[in-house]
Amino acid sequence: RRQALESGSIDGYDLVAPADLGALEQGGYTLVNRDPFNILYLGMNQADPALADIRVRQAITQAIDKEQLVTQVLPEGTTVATQFMPDSVIGFNDAVTEYDYDPAAAQALLAEAGYDASNPLTLTFNYPVNISRPYMPNPEQIFTNLQSQLQAVGITLNPVSNEWGEYLDLIQGGADHGIHLLGWTGDYNDPDNFVGTFFGAASNEWGFDNGELFSALTTARGLATEEEQAPAYEAINEQIATFIPGVPLANPVPTLAFAPR
């Protein structure tokens, strides 16, 4: 697509790869950012006994410096995520529980859960290759960044990569996976299209059975007005934040490129 733009055979294209932004800008092309309507996250499969321990899930959360990830790997203008929806969606919770980047606290939680240098936590880290999505423009680089951060607190990782179709089948079709990169671009502006899609029922991706959360999402889905929905989904976002099914990482900015004309 970049070559087609540079040759003049097209006027513009969507979802520019982050690695191409600098060269296109220097070449005089017009770059336009769309407001992010997506979420990139690190999912955790609680079918893995280690990940069923909330101390381990919180340790992983506190081992990740989201600001570093955004600054070093993701497109300029990307925002750090605090919950599993962008802030333009009803029910976004400005006061949601957050877990500060704190490697020492992460190591202490791992030790409390029984993992240390003599008995390190070992996890499979699944990620896709040869794919670019609006919420995940460069998965290999995202993986490399997160891998180094998690290894820094003593977590041993077994990297497993797959082509996109195989990857989705693996993550959503069975229990043989660990922590993983995935995300979502909203189909329409409704909170159920985000948190309901992820956590509305038991699934192979997340591997947990949380009846309280499932029930709250079912009830919220039936609310008729925004005035009713907003507090219900704010409470759900807090419920998700304290349960820690995964780590909401970022809302990447999709960029379009156009010829100067």
Side-chain angles (χ1 to χ4, degrees), residues 48 121-127 143 147 150-151 155-162 167 170 176-180:
D48 181 324
L121 172 62
T122 301
L123 295 172
T124 297
F125 192 158
N126 299 91
Y127 67 100
F143 161 77
Q147 178 188 42
L150 295 173
Q151 287 176 335
I155 298 174
T156 300
L157 297 172
N158 172 33
V160 176
S161 63
N162 296 89
Y167 184 75
L170 177 69
D176 188 20
H177 53 93
I179 58 174
H180 58 275

Side-chain angles (χ1 to χ4, degrees), residues 45-231:
N45 176 20
Q46 292 184 40
D48 181 324
L51 293 171
D53 188 330
I54 194 169
R55 296 170 297 186
V56 170
R57 302 200 301 277
Q58 184 175 336
I60 291 170
T61 301
Q62 294 199 266
I64 294 174
D65 184 347
K66 299 180 189 178
E67 292 280 359
Q68 182 204 91
L69 175 71
V70 166
T71 301
Q72 295 186 1
V73 176
L74 294 169
E76 184 176 352
T78 293
T79 55
V80 167
T82 62
Q83 47 215 286
F84 286 85
M85 61 169 63
D87 62 7
S88 57
V89 179
I90 298 164
F92 185 88
N93 188 336
D94 290 320
V96 76
T97 294
E98 297 184 52
Y99 303 91
D100 294 335
Y101 170 59
D102 189 336
Q107 289 174 316
L109 283 163
L110 291 172
E112 188 180 322
Y115 302 102
D116 54 27
S118 62
N119 179 39
L121 172 62
T122 301
L123 295 172
T124 297
F125 192 158
N126 299 91
Y127 67 100
V129 292
N130 301 321
I131 187 71
S132 180
R133 307 295 294 166
Y135 54 80
M136 186 170 56
N138 46 356
E140 293 93 338
Q141 290 175 268
I142 296 167
F143 161 77
T144 299
N145 183 280
L146 295 177
Q147 178 188 42
S148 65
Q149 295 196 47
L150 295 173
Q151 287 176 335
V153 300
I155 298 174
T156 300
L157 297 172
N158 172 33
V160 176
S161 63
N162 296 89
E163 298 289 334
W164 184 238
E166 296 172 352
Y167 184 75
L168 290 179
D169 288 343
L170 177 69
I171 300 301
Q172 299 173 346
D176 188 20
H177 53 93
I179 58 174
H180 58 275
L181 291 177
L182 210 53
W184 182 255
T185 297
D187 296 311
Y188 47 89
N189 194 332
D190 185 274
D192 188 63
N193 190 240
F194 283 89
V195 290
T197 297
F198 303 143
F199 308 120
S203 71
N204 289 317
E205 179 179 357
W206 305 96
F208 67 78
D209 186 2
N210 185 332
E212 184 180 354
L213 178 57
F214 300 157
S215 177
L217 283 161
T218 299
T219 299
R221 188 178 299 122
L223 297 175
T225 68
E226 292 185 10
E227 289 73 22
E228 294 172 292
Q229 288 179 340

